[in-house]
Amino acid sequence: MSTVIPRQTKELDRVVVRFAGDSGDGMQLTGSQFTTVSSLFGNDTATLPDFPAEIRAPAGTLAGVSAFQVHISDHDILTPGDAPNVLVAMNPAALRANIGLMDAGGTVIVNVDAFDERSLEKAGYTANPLVDDSLTGYTVYEVPMTSLTMEVGKQVGVKPRDAERSKNFFALGLVSWLYSRPVEPTLEWIATRFAGKDAVGEVNTKAFKAGYHFGETAELFESNYQVRPAPAEVGTYTNVTGNTALAWGLIAAAQLAKLPLFLGSYPITPASDILHELSKQKHFGVRTLQAEDEIAGIGSAIGAAFGGALGVTTTSGPGLDLKSESLGLAVNLELPLVVVDVQRGGPSTGLPTKTEQSDLLHAMYGRHGESPVPIVAARTPADCFDAAIEAVRIAVTYRTPVILLSDGYLANGSEPWRVPDVADLPVIDVTFATEPNHTADDGSLEFWPYKRDPETGARPWAVPGTPGLEHRIGGLEKAHGSGNVSYDTGNHERMSHERADKIAGIAKGIPAAEVDDPDGVGGAEVLLLGWGSTYGAIAAGVRRVRARGLAVAHVHLVHLNPFPANLGDVLRSYRTVLVPETNLGQLVRLVRAEFLVDAQGIAKMQGLPFHAAEIEAAVLQALGEDIAEPGNAEDAAI
Amino acid sequence: MTDVAVPNTTRKDWASDQEVRWCPGCGDYSILAAMQMLLPELGVRRENTVFVSGIGCAARFPYYMSTYGMHSIHGRAPAIATGLAVTRPDLDVWVVSGDGDALSIGGNHLIHAMRRNVNLTILLFNNQIYGLTKGQYSPTSEQGKVTKSTPFGSLEAPFNPVSVALGAEASFVARTHDMDRKHMQEMFRRAHEHRGAALVEIYQNCNVFNDGAFSQILGRDQRSEMLIPLEHGQPIRFGADGGRGVAMSSEGHLQLVDVAEAGEAALLVHDETREDPGLAFALSRLARGPFEPTPIGVFRDVVRPEYGAGMAQQILDAQERKGPGDLATLLASGGTWTVS
């Protein structure tokens, strides 16, 4: 299809678009395709899928609204954007649920066909917001998306009911025109995705084109917009979600360590996509077991690790609860294991589809006994790849279970990622024991499964099938060295210290905490300390503060246990340490206890990531600056 | 790897140097001895043999074997063993469990290991009591059982482990008891030969907390009248001179008959390879508990696809289709663009 020169194309440096509709309206698909096309075009992108836990809540209700927010820009960005510039609302409920997120002056594109009395009522409107003055201050475009899509369906000859389902493609076409997106990638994607379902593919294609042409020809829009490609480092890029990057990181790590990968996992939101992705990659020798429960997920991974595989289990909060006892077993067995926790809102079932960072203390302390476990956290969707490799490195080097923390925001969010050269990935050395390692009093050679490496404190990994190294391990306390069952009191104290020291010693092998402070460590008054998915919002907040000519520093932790060796010194270099977390204050508690610093928490518990503006406000307040003073957010290139 | 003959071993070679710490007189001793004496005959290697257990008296078993072993946590042995067996098909993986471990806290893992038909040999030591925690009733204790936790008698109906296994689609199910080493060894040997999940229930006496639980059927003078040996292809008979037998009634249930009365032709001929587990299940229900004539032997031995082999085959098929996995290709599989 030809790209018609529009009547006027305005340049924008960035735009935040939010697609919102019913759970069944295909908003996630629409949003992610818009993102893909923008990434391919060369924009920087960041996304925030925001959907309900119900697969199909009653149509037209607020509970059933599913949204996908994407931020596209001509420069490097860090967040999916605080407030959408454009809201595409497929029905009254989608409008009502999302209009509050918009700043005044924003653009609203509504599917006007859906604004009938019944739908308005279901959404809780007593009057039609399109005719009363409740949307004053917004630019509202009323587009008959349903009826125009049905018209397309009639031409193709499909049932009206089926045709109606393609209206999200109409919306995608319209927004693609509005932001001058190339159409070919979407047409190719429809052809591939709906291959073999000719009628569906045809209606989708035609609806997409109809939406695009509607924008072009209807005298509704004064202009359309262009967001130029963002300058980026030379290289090959792809768009990844956190769950995909994490799955690929596990595959990469298994290859780097030359170990077969085994995943034992029970389906749970928002972690299941890791299971799905790994289940597809059997040609890498990946074995996946959809276990009967969370406990069997980790149990089977422990069994695989005993046999010399890279054992992994993936879960979210409720599953981590169930895995606790088995994690303790892995601590005692001192076998490598990676437990991925894609955090979600809690407690209990909580908010399955909403993000939260509230499992840190659970990861740290959620086992009986003295049961230390290293913790690694990913900071962006693409960083899940590196975090997975790091978790595996620690697990196999130190023969320990490792908890890798991701969250719902990282899991489903996506960003462009410069694909690493496989040759540049770190080497992970794994050596299995093959020989006895101890001389008994009578001079005979024995194998001692708990004789530690003096450097790492790791015990030997001797796998079944190795003659002469037959040994028994288990959950009972081990005698130092020999690994025999021991109830000796002195031995228990010694072994407790050995396990604790081994984990603490990991700090020797991890990089020092990197401090983003242009004036050098201790230069700014205020330090923002973060971990995990708050990275984007904190870094964007830092840019906004600095755009005001004010100083602020930022440290973002990858390793939560043990902490980097320099962290205490860094924290003590700042008068004020602020710790933004999407929990009620977990890291802040750990650093206060560990380093005796008066760090202050900034909590957000809405199932949503921080906005850059919230971080900015917290820093300004700490600095005693006037929050009301308008900043320079646009220049801050958030 | 060169195919080196399996070295000759004796019972001693399979015993670890750890002191055995079960109560004197425990049935577990005879099960351990039966296993240690059998393994030299199976032509297997110590280094390729793994015993995985959960928690309970029986679960100490791996410590006494000079093989690889794991004494894990309560109920989880079948799950742990599943991960090991599917990643290491070269190993013989045995699971040692008890009635509480396998059927109470670990019931879920047990049934799913059998349903999937993972290549595991599962030994279920059934003493109808919790021994390690000093005498509470178990999921196989009889109704009315008076224990420390049921001073007024247990209200619960017991599980029949063989029925549970058959209901969970186990491809091999057998029952034996701790008073007959030869029979135990024969059942262990058969279970070991079986590809897929094999469950052997072992009636085991806990002489401290549940002494004599099986004495009504296992006493030396009772056995011939109270044990019904199942032999493949043979009419099911028991009692002195095989005077009693099992026949199908006209109402469609199994019943005990006098052979002289019913006639030999009326006897049920045991077929362990029957695809339909219905008759095996009916046999498992012949006795309501170990106080009525009770079948022992192999109830079921059928061929079903083994889970680990299926998993390995899917990998081979995928590699055949796509070639071995290439990391760079994977990382680019979501579509890429280049900035130059």
Side-chain angles (χ1 to χ4, degrees), chain A residues 115 143 325 373 400 473:
Chain A
F115 282 67
V143 182
E325 187 196 14
V373 171
T400 175
I473 55 177

Side-chain angles (χ1 to χ4, degrees), chain A residues 9-170:
Chain A
T9 300
K10 292 183 180 168
E11 295 272 333
L12 292 176
D13 62 345
R14 62 186 194 92
V15 68
V16 179
V17 182
R18 191 172 173 96
F19 297 92
D22 247 342
S23 300
D25 281 347
M27 291 297 101
Q28 302 303 318
L29 200 68
T30 308
S32 61
Q33 180 55 23
F34 186 75
T35 308
T36 302
V37 169
S38 299
S39 295
L40 289 173
F41 179 67
N43 296 126
D44 197 5
T45 63
T47 69
L48 175 66
D50 187 8
F51 47 87
E54 291 76 17
I55 303 301
R56 294 274 193 279
T61 63
L62 289 179
V65 173
S66 171
F68 189 103
Q69 183 167 316
V70 51
H71 186 180
I72 62 175
S73 77
D74 69 359
H75 57 271
D76 151 49
I77 47 168
L78 296 158
T79 76
D82 288 4
N85 304 108
V86 181
L87 171 67
V88 179
M90 301 303 286
N91 64 15
L95 178 67
R96 185 144 188 253
N98 290 286
I99 192 71
L101 301 171
M102 310 274 296
D103 285 336
T107 299
V108 181
I109 303 172
V110 297
N111 173 21
V112 68
D113 292 331
F115 282 67
D116 54 53
E117 207 170 311
R118 199 173 132 67
S119 301
L120 288 163
E121 195 184 317
K122 268 200 261 180
Y125 279 118
T126 48
N128 188 344
L130 303 180
V131 294
D132 68 16
D133 52 7
S134 61
L135 295 177
T136 309
Y138 299 98
T139 307
V140 181
Y141 296 110
E142 297 178 19
V143 182
M145 299 188 199
T146 307
S147 48
L148 291 173
T149 305
M150 306 270 271
E151 197 56 41
V152 164
K154 208 185 288 174
Q155 290 163 20
V156 177
V158 299
K159 284 184 238 150
R161 228 188 110 116
D162 293 337
E164 191 265 340
R165 293 174 56 184
S166 295
K167 63 181 182 294
N168 58 323
F169 285 88
F170 185 97

Side-chain angles (χ1 to χ4, degrees), chain A residues 39 234-235 237-238 282-283 287-290 292-293 295 300 303 307 463-466 470-475 484, chain B residues 18 47 62 65 67-71 76 79-80 83 86 88 108-109 116 307 311 314 319 325 330 335-337 339:
Chain A
S39 295
V234 170
Y237 286 77
T238 190
K282 294 211 186 298
H283 58 305
R287 282 176 165 79
T288 56
L289 170 73
Q290 183 176 311
E292 59 270 21
D293 58 28
I295 299 170
S300 59
V463 301
T466 317
E470 294 85 0
H471 64 280
R472 278 67 54 195
I473 55 177
N484 288 326
Chain B
Q18 298 295 297
E47 67 266 25
M65 302 296 299
T67 62
Y68 283 90
M70 189 194 291
H71 173 220
R76 316 306 169 202
I80 291 168
V86 301
R88 292 293 305 275
N108 200 30
H109 308 305
R116 291 192 183 104
Y307 187 71
M311 217 183 228
Q314 285 195 338
Q319 288 173 338
L330 175 70
T336 62
W337 66 96
V339 175

Side-chain angles (χ1 to χ4, degrees), chain A residues 200-247:
Chain A
V200 182
E202 197 181 343
V203 181
N204 288 342
T205 302
K206 289 200 163 162
F208 173 76
K209 288 182 178 177
Y212 194 96
H213 291 142
F214 178 85
E216 222 168 35
T217 51
E219 302 272 319
L220 197 57
F221 298 92
E222 283 166 29
S223 60
N224 73 347
Y225 302 91
Q226 177 61 285
V227 182
R228 296 272 164 216
E233 226 180 303
V234 170
T236 301
Y237 286 77
T238 190
N239 219 25
V240 277
T241 64
N243 274 346
T244 303
L246 203 152

Side-chain angles (χ1 to χ4, degrees), chain B residues 104-295:
Chain B
S104 195
I105 193 167
N108 200 30
H109 308 305
L110 182 77
I111 59 176
H112 288 282
M114 293 189 287
R115 174 180 68 84
R116 291 192 183 104
N117 206 30
V118 182
N119 196 29
L120 299 174
T121 314
I122 304 167
L123 307 182
L124 196 166
F125 295 21
N126 182 9
N127 57 16
Q128 303 193 156
I129 199 79
Y130 280 74
L132 200 64
T133 49
K134 301 185 185 173
Q136 299 83 5
Y137 73 106
S138 93
T140 57
S141 297
E142 67 275 17
Q143 210 158 19
K145 178 93 177 164
V146 174
T147 71
K148 284 178 188 159
S149 57
T150 50
F152 309 108
S154 161
L155 298 170
E156 300 177 18
F159 262 145
N160 174 331
V162 168
S163 300
V164 171
L166 290 166
E169 309 291 341
S171 52
F172 181 98
V173 186
R175 179 187 286 143
T176 185
H177 64 90
D178 63 1
M179 303 286 282
D180 187 341
R181 176 178 301 155
K182 280 189 80 158
H183 192 265
M184 274 194 283
Q185 289 180 329
E186 182 54 22
M187 292 304 105
F188 297 169
R189 181 199 305 274
R190 290 281 311 276
H192 174 261
E193 282 167 2
H194 177 77
R195 290 290 299 172
L199 180 127
V200 182
E201 180 192 17
I202 309 162
Y203 282 161
Q204 173 246 323
N205 192 42
C206 172
N207 58 319
V208 174
F209 294 109
N210 203 17
D211 195 24
F214 304 102
S215 60
Q216 290 178 71
I217 59 169
L218 297 185
R220 291 219 174 271
D221 301 336
Q222 280 74 39
R223 284 188 218 169
S224 72
E225 292 301 322
M226 297 298 276
L227 291 182
I228 307 173
L230 299 175
E231 281 168 50
H232 180 62
Q234 299 297 318
I236 303 173
R237 310 177 70 143
F238 67 108
D241 308 322
R244 303 191 73 200
V246 176
M248 179 74 78
S249 76
S250 54
E251 292 86 34
H253 65 260
L254 295 186
Q255 60 186 10
L256 304 180
V257 295
D258 284 325
V259 179
E261 252 173 55
E264 256 184 68
L267 295 184
L268 185 70
V269 175
H270 184 50
D271 180 2
E272 32 180 67
T273 63
R274 262 179 85 104
E275 198 61 38
D276 172 6
L279 267 182
F281 189 83
L283 281 169
S284 79
R285 312 304 290 181
L286 261 181
R288 287 167 297 167
F291 50 86
E292 294 180 334
T294 301

